[in-house]
């Protein structure tokens, strides 16, 4: 340990991250103290690490954060994530960001400031690669003066920002690859709430808890798109067929258009959604490279004929992973099992029940026949807390029927997941 | 640019020679630089690394190159486990690996090894850290006191969960409390009669900080003091209440 140079000790202390651990470790010996003062590159004040932060009043928190940050030099990563800490005063927060401005590459900050601080104007922009801001407002974005030449990852949570500022912000980040928007408060100027974002470099986008009339995303490099808990009237993705991963979860969207971008889709994951199968299928029909398809907790329109395995087998020959969970009405199931094409490459099958009944057992049986190269079967179920005797019997009967069924498929690994 | 099956020769400090594939060797930014700017045919000297350590490092580099190139069918979880086993070595080897990774500039290995040491440090007090790594405490008493006082909030583990309060207990019961304590801090009431030496010894063995409320007619009872803290006076003020550390 004596032979380790002080910069390496600084690197080790940086991996501790939590400010309290780092400060305590710095009392070990003088070399470690010097490492802390001159060679520390990462520092975090996270209430997840040390819950006692929340017992300290905000004013005292500000003092201890200021004193600790100002003992360091050349900080590259700063994280202040305190849930339920109250508010910090603007002048102190400005001091922290200005002190670290020259060297900061990663900034995570989620405490409201009073009065509001325009973080984008104050924090170091030249070297910043990762920025995650929450519970603050962002106003007056000026792409000409405030550019983020190195920013690769941007995350805005519970942030108040106008649609215009948001789109200007993206133009101020010429290398942005990942964008995360969670529960933003989009200030509107028109009657229609429209967000139009454009970024030639964006590869991954995650949007949660947003409610808009129109959301248009234009990006030529997009690979991952994940929408969760959104209510959109129109969602349009304009791109060049680079999309590989598409996931929507508990989203209501009236008009969904990703048609031009689906040629290279590898994963489609849809849950808690109302599907009109023919329309949905038309949208992804060109995705011949599809490896994983998951349709979970989906409901079909009354007039819809539902999913049919024949279409899936023929159009997605490279499918390796299939996950299905929806209500098996009699008509749906029979239609779905028509045809005889096998799902040759499917090695993992996940099936969930909405209700345990004979349909479900029968369905599993039929699907097993259609997947000749299956290696793993996972059965998902929801078990209610109050179990009547009848329900227990049904579950037992189901378990027995699965045991009997799987004897015919000894090479397939079976797992059960109940919640 | 040679093909990927080009081999590079490396000579260690103890004169052992290793021949490795270029793709594996250039995981080290230092070796990459020397290879691209020096003489690619002759041997590259890695003066600061011994044969044993270089052998381990090359194992690491090979594993990671193969997994990234898809030559080995290994999932991210399996690679993570492999890494975890890789660093299960004695301290001296671990530090040699750190020094070598630093010198050879292999970022992922340096991160892995530094994180391993950081995990060994986390949650320990300075005394415990010194024992674990055999570090000599070169602070003067004043200097150490100054460091602790400058960062009182971190060293004061008072308040909230983790504080044991002793009041109106018989001596043997108090010893039992300290022996079985899970807390790191013990506060003894002003009116508690205490056999200082025996409690100190017990507390030191378990690395518990013992504070005694000063004897003073106006000293509030412990329960009131602790209540005051919880209402929001904060750690720093509490320190001034209980100045007398055993």
């Amino acid at each position: 340990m004596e032979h380790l140079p002080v910069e390496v000790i600084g690197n080790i202390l940086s991996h501790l991250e939590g400010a309290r651990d780092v400060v305590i470790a710095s009392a070990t010996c003088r070399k470690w103290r010097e490492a802390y003062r001159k060679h520390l590159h990462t520092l975090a004040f996270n209430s997840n690490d040390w819950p006692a932060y929340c017992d300290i009043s905000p004013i005292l928190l500000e003092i201890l954060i200021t004193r600790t940050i100002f003992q360091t030099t050349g900080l590259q990563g700063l994280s202040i994530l305190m849930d339920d800490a109250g508010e910090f005063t603007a002048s102190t927060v400005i001091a922290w960001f200005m002190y670290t401005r020259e060297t900061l590459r990663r900034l995570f900050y989620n405490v409201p400031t009073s009065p509001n601080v325009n973080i984008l104007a104050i924090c170091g922009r030249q070297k910043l690669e990762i920025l995650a801001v929450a519970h603050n407002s962002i106003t007056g974005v000026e792409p000409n003066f405030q550019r983020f030449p190195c920013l690769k990852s941007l995350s805005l949570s519970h942030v108040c920002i106008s649609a215009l500022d948001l789109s200007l912000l993206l133009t101020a980040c010429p290398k942005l690859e990942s964008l995360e928007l969670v529960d933003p408060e989009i200030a509107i100027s028109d009657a229609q709430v429209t967000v139009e974002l454009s970024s030639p470099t964006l590869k991954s986008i995650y949007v949660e808890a947003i409610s808009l009339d129109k959301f248009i995303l234009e990006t030529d490099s997009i690979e991952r798109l994940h929408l969760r808990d959104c209510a959109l009237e129109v969602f349009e993705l304009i791109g060049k067929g680079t999309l590989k991963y598409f996931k929507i979860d508990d989203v209501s969207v009236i008009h969904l258009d990703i048609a031009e971008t689906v040629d290279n889709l590898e994963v489609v994951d849809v849950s808690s959604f109302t599907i009109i199968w023919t329309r949905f299928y038309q949208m992804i029909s060109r995705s011949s490279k599809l490896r994983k398809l998951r349709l979970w907790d989906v409901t079909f329109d009354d007039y819809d004929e539902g999913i049919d395995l024949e279409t899936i087998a023929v159009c997605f020959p490279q499918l390796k992973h299939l996950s299905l969970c929806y209500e098996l009405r009699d008509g749906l199931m029979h239609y779905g099992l028509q045809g005889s094409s096998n799902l040759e490459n499917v090695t993992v099958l996940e099936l969930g029940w909405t209700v345990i009944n004979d349909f479900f057992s029968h369905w599993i049986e039929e699907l097993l026949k259609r997947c000749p190269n299956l290696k793993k079967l996972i059965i998902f179920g929801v078990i209610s807390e109050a179990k009547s005797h009848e329900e227990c019997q049904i579950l037992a009967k189901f378990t027995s029927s699965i045991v009997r069924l799987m004897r015919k498929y000894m090479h397939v690994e079976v797992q059960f997941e109940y919640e | 640019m040679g093909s990927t099956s080009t081999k590079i020769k490396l000579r260690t400090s103890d004169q052992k020679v290793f021949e490795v594939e270029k793709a594996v060797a250039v995981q080290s930014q230092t070796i990459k630089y020397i290879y691209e700017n020096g003489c690619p045919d002759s041997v590259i000297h890695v003066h600061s690394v011994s044969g044993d350590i270089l052998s381990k490092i090359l194992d690491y580099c090979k594993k990671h190159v193969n997994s990234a190139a898809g030559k080995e069918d290994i999932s991210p979880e399996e690679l993570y486990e492999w890494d975890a086993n890789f660093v299960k070595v004695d301290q001296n080897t671990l530090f040699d690996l750190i020094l070598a990774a630093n010198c050879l500039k292999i970022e992922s290995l340096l991160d892995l090894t530094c994180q391993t040491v950081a995990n060994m440090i986390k949650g320990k007090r300075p005394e415990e850290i010194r024992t674990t790594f055999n570090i000599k405490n070169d602070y003067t008493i004043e200097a150490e006191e100054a460091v602790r006082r400058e960062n009182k909030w971190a060293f004061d583990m008072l308040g909230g969960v983790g504080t044991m309060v002793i009041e109106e207990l018989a001596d043997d019961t108090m010893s039992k409390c300290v022996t079985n304590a899970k807390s790191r801090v013990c506060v003894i009431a002003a009116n508690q009669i205490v056999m200082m030496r025996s409690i100190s010894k017990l507390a030191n063995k378990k690395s518990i900080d013992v504070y005694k409320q000063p004897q003073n007619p106006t000293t509030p009872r412990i329960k009131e003091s602790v209540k005051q803290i919880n209402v929001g006076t904060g750690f720093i003020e509490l320190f001034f209440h209980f100045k007398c550390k055993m």
Side-chain angles (χ1 to χ4, degrees):
Chain A
M1 182 54 104
E2 308 83 61
H3 302 298
L4 291 184
V6 68
E7 309 85 54
V8 173
I9 304 282
N11 198 354
I12 293 175
L13 292 180
S14 302
H15 278 89
L16 268 176
E17 278 193 41
R20 185 163 170 266
D21 292 316
V22 173
V23 164
I24 291 178
S26 75
T28 304
C29 65
R30 281 165 47 197
K31 185 160 94 174
W32 283 41
R33 178 115 184 112
E34 195 193 329
Y36 158 60
R37 299 213 58 169
K38 306 249 173 70
H39 301 278
L40 192 71
H41 57 71
T42 306
L43 191 59
F45 299 86
N46 294 347
S47 54
N48 283 343
D49 283 340
W50 195 46
Y53 280 130
C54 300
D55 293 334
I56 307 179
S57 65
I59 301 178
L60 291 176
L61 265 181
E62 281 179 34
I63 295 176
L64 74 88
I65 293 178
T66 311
R67 289 176 85 165
T68 314
I69 294 181
F70 278 63
Q71 283 175 52
T72 64
T73 334
L75 217 51
Q76 291 176 18
L78 175 62
S79 167
I80 300 173
L81 296 172
M82 306 232 184
D83 305 321
D84 306 321
E87 280 182 350
F88 287 152
T89 42
S91 50
T92 328
V93 174
I94 289 175
W96 299 336
F97 295 158
M98 290 193 70
Y99 183 74
T100 50
R101 187 183 232 177
E102 301 296 313
T103 49
L104 207 62
R105 293 193 197 174
R106 302 173 295 276
L107 176 60
F108 302 86
Y109 181 70
N110 79 346
V111 181
T113 9
S114 159
N116 191 63
V117 164
N118 190 357
I119 296 180
L120 300 184
I122 313 283
C123 71
R125 293 190 289 278
Q126 286 315 304
K127 294 203 178 145
L128 208 59
E129 291 168 20
I130 304 179
L131 176 62
V133 173
H135 298 291
N136 277 279
S137 300
I138 296 185
T139 54
V141 176
E142 307 218 19
N144 294 322
F145 297 120
Q146 296 165 9
R147 292 187 69 78
F148 291 84
C150 302
L151 197 67
K152 289 220 185 96
S153 165
L154 175 64
S155 164
L156 301 173
S157 267
H158 310 281
V159 155
C160 199
I161 186 170
S162 73
L164 178 62
D165 276 336
L166 186 55
S167 99
L168 284 175
L169 184 53
L170 287 202
T171 60
C173 307
K175 289 217 181 122
L176 196 66
E177 288 179 12
S178 160
L179 175 65
E180 202 180 271
L181 272 178
V182 175
D183 198 11
E185 212 180 289
I186 308 267
I188 41 166
S189 47
D190 300 319
Q192 251 210 350
V193 187
T194 307
V195 168
E196 274 185 55
L197 300 178
S198 162
S199 164
T201 50
L202 201 61
K203 284 202 184 131
S204 162
I205 179 163
Y206 172 71
V207 179
E208 184 182 325
I210 198 171
S211 178
L212 300 171
D213 294 325
K214 239 181 171 192
F215 190 167
I216 301 175
L217 189 58
E218 191 180 327
T219 157
D220 289 341
S221 318
I222 188 102
E223 287 179 15
R224 282 182 68 104
L225 172 62
H226 182 175
L227 301 176
R228 191 191 163 116
D229 191 20
C230 297
L232 306 163
E233 271 191 40
V234 175
F235 179 78
E236 236 178 86
L237 181 65
I238 304 170
K240 281 204 185 127
T242 48
L243 192 64
K244 285 198 184 139
Y245 178 100
F246 176 58
K247 180 166 173 165
I248 54 178
D249 183 358
D250 197 13
V251 163
S252 90
V253 82
I254 299 182
H255 183 84
L256 177 66
D257 185 0
I258 60 167
E260 283 171 43
T261 61
V262 299
D263 295 330
N264 286 305
L265 261 183
E266 290 177 14
V267 174
V268 169
D269 185 333
V270 175
S271 54
S272 308
F273 191 61
T274 308
I275 294 193
I276 301 172
W277 175 243
T278 37
R279 246 210 257 166
F280 184 77
Y281 165 69
Q282 254 173 16
M283 201 171 68
I284 60 171
S285 60
R286 292 202 325 256
S287 314
S288 52
K289 294 188 192 164
L290 201 65
R291 279 189 294 110
K292 175 173 171 178
L293 177 62
R294 181 169 178 262
L295 300 168
W296 210 261
D297 278 341
V298 295
T299 44
F300 295 97
D301 219 10
D302 278 335
Y303 303 105
D304 200 358
E305 286 161 338
I307 303 170
D308 69 295
L309 290 175
E310 181 73 19
T311 317
I312 295 182
V314 167
C315 296
F316 310 125
Q318 294 188 33
L319 197 66
K320 282 178 90 162
H321 188 136
L322 180 62
S323 308
L324 298 172
C325 173
Y326 50 86
E327 202 190 315
L328 296 166
R329 300 202 297 268
D330 191 13
L332 271 185
M333 211 181 66
H334 280 303
Y335 175 77
L337 293 171
Q338 271 177 22
S340 59
S341 304
N342 284 339
L343 298 150
E344 297 288 341
N345 286 311
V346 170
T347 52
V348 178
L349 192 58
E350 290 177 332
L351 299 173
W353 80 65
T354 46
V355 170
I356 312 183
N357 52 23
D358 288 334
F359 282 145
F360 186 64
S361 316
H362 181 56
W363 192 51
I364 299 182
E365 217 181 314
E366 290 299 317
L367 276 166
L368 280 172
K369 283 188 205 156
R370 304 279 283 265
C371 302
N373 293 312
L374 193 66
K375 292 207 182 105
K376 197 164 169 182
L377 169 66
I378 309 172
I379 297 179
F380 287 78
V382 176
I383 314 258
S384 65
E385 267 180 42
K387 297 209 53 38
S388 71
H389 181 63
E390 205 183 290
E391 282 174 334
C392 290
Q393 275 191 321
I394 294 179
L395 185 57
K397 202 172 127 194
F398 171 73
T399 317
S400 314
S401 71
I402 295 295
V403 171
R404 274 196 302 275
L405 177 63
M406 295 318 292
R407 287 216 185 99
K408 287 192 258 175
Y409 300 94
M410 294 292 284
H411 55 281
V412 175
E413 184 193 330
V414 181
Q415 280 178 13
F416 292 84
E417 272 192 44
Y418 295 146
E419 56 176 296
Chain B
M1 279 283 156
S3 69
T4 46
S5 61
T6 317
K7 302 267 194 204
I8 298 184
K9 285 206 188 94
L10 304 169
R11 177 177 282 136
T12 64
S13 59
D14 49 354
Q15 304 307 318
K16 294 208 182 100
V17 178
F18 290 81
E19 201 173 345
V20 282
E21 280 181 25
K22 174 171 165 256
V24 172
V26 296
Q27 295 281 292
S28 151
Q29 297 298 306
T30 312
I31 294 180
K32 184 169 186 232
Y33 183 81
I34 298 176
Y35 180 75
E36 285 171 358
N37 293 292
C39 341
D41 288 326
S42 59
V43 179
I44 297 181
H45 294 268
V46 281
H47 301 289
S48 44
V49 188
S50 73
D52 292 335
I53 296 296
L54 187 64
S55 163
K56 280 194 77 84
I57 291 183
L58 293 173
D59 277 345
Y60 175 89
C61 292
K62 203 167 175 193
K63 190 80 176 177
H64 280 248
V65 163
N66 283 348
S67 114
K71 279 193 209 164
E72 230 183 275
D73 185 21
I74 179 169
S75 71
E77 295 85 24
E78 286 167 352
L79 189 62
Y80 183 79
E81 267 205 57
W82 190 91
D83 281 352
N85 284 326
F86 181 79
V87 286
K88 284 191 181 142
V89 291
D90 63 275
Q91 265 188 38
N92 284 331
T93 313
L94 187 58
F95 294 138
D96 284 337
L97 282 171
I98 293 182
L99 277 171
N102 187 45
C103 185
L104 294 174
K105 292 206 180 53
I106 306 173
E107 199 179 316
S108 62
L109 181 59
L110 187 60
D111 272 344
L112 174 66
T113 43
C114 286
Q115 185 66 59
T116 310
V117 179
N119 294 342
M120 289 160 76
I121 295 173
K122 194 175 167 87
K124 289 195 167 82
R125 299 150 150 239
E127 310 82 57
E128 292 165 332
I129 298 176
R130 286 179 205 129
T131 321
T132 310
F133 297 110
N134 210 4
I135 299 176
K136 186 169 179 302
N137 181 4
D138 56 356
Y139 275 118
T140 60
I141 299 185
E142 297 86 28
E144 187 169 351
E145 215 18 69
V147 171
R148 284 177 180 250
R149 207 173 301 141
E150 203 179 344
N151 298 288
K152 233 176 277 194
W153 66 277
F155 293 96
D156 269 6
M157 292 175 258
L158 298 170
V161 176
T163 307
M164 178 176 56
V165 174
I166 293 186
E167 187 169 29
E168 290 169 6
L169 286 180
D171 214 14
D172 53 352
T173 321
M174 185 163 46
S175 315
K176 248 193 245 169
C177 280
V178 174
T179 319
N180 294 324
K182 291 212 172 78
S183 31
R184 308 302 294 272
V185 171
C186 168
V187 174
I188 302 183
N191 52 12
Q192 174 79 27
I193 302 167
V194 131
M195 294 292 282
M196 284 178 62
R197 241 189 287 152
S198 59
I199 290 299
S200 299
K201 225 169 117 191
L202 265 176
N204 275 336
K205 244 208 294 185
K206 296 205 64 180
S207 294
I208 300 177
D209 270 342
V210 180
Y211 291 79
K212 183 148 193 322
Q213 231 190 349
Q215 200 76 309
N216 188 316
T218 61
T219 306
R221 284 176 64 85
I222 285 244
K223 290 203 180 66
E224 273 111 45
S225 305
V226 173
K227 200 165 79 172
Q228 268 172 24
I229 298 143
N230 289 337
V231 165
T233 50
F235 292 153
I236 298 172
E237 292 192 34
L238 179 59
F239 188 77
F240 291 109
H241 280 303
F242 304 114
K243 275 186 242 191
C244 189
K245 184 174 184 290
M246 288 178 152

